[in-house]
Amino acid sequence: MILSVGKSERVNIQSGRFPYKAEVVDKHVVEMSVKDATITIKALKEGRTDVNVTDKVGAKGRIAVMVSK
C-alpha cells in the first residue's frame, strides 16, 4: 500500500476469525485503528513500515505500507 502524508485508507480483512488485532512496527510512520474487520491506516510521515495483523486463532498477516510526500 502506498499513501501520501496526511492521507488515510481503510483495509477490509478478508479471512481469518474475529476478533482481529493489529500492530504497527514503526508508529512514527503510520497510525492505525481496528474496528470489526476494518483497519484504518493514516500516514504520518515519509517512510516504510508494516502493519502486522493477528486473528482469534493466531493466524497472521502483514500489510506493507510506504508513505510518500
Side-chain angles (χ1 to χ4, degrees):
M1 162 187 300
I2 300 173
L3 291 173
S4 298
V5 173
K7 300 294 182 181
S8 296
E9 189 165 325
R10 290 183 177 164
V11 177
N12 292 317
I13 300 169
Q14 300 295 316
S15 62
R17 301 182 93 175
F18 182 81
Y20 302 98
K21 294 179 185 175
E23 184 175 83
V24 177
V25 174
D26 186 343
K27 295 177 181 167
H28 295 102
V29 177
V30 299
E31 65 183 17
M32 65 89 215
S33 62
V34 180
K35 182 172 181 179
D36 299 325
T38 302
I39 298 172
T40 302
I41 300 170
K42 181 177 180 182
L44 301 176
K45 71 172 201 171
E46 284 186 88
R48 294 175 186 248
T49 191
D50 292 327
V51 176
N52 296 314
V53 183
T54 307
D55 75 354
K56 179 180 179 177
V57 297
K60 296 181 180 189
R62 179 178 63 90
I63 303 167
V65 183
M66 185 174 108
V67 179
S68 63
K69 285 188 176 182

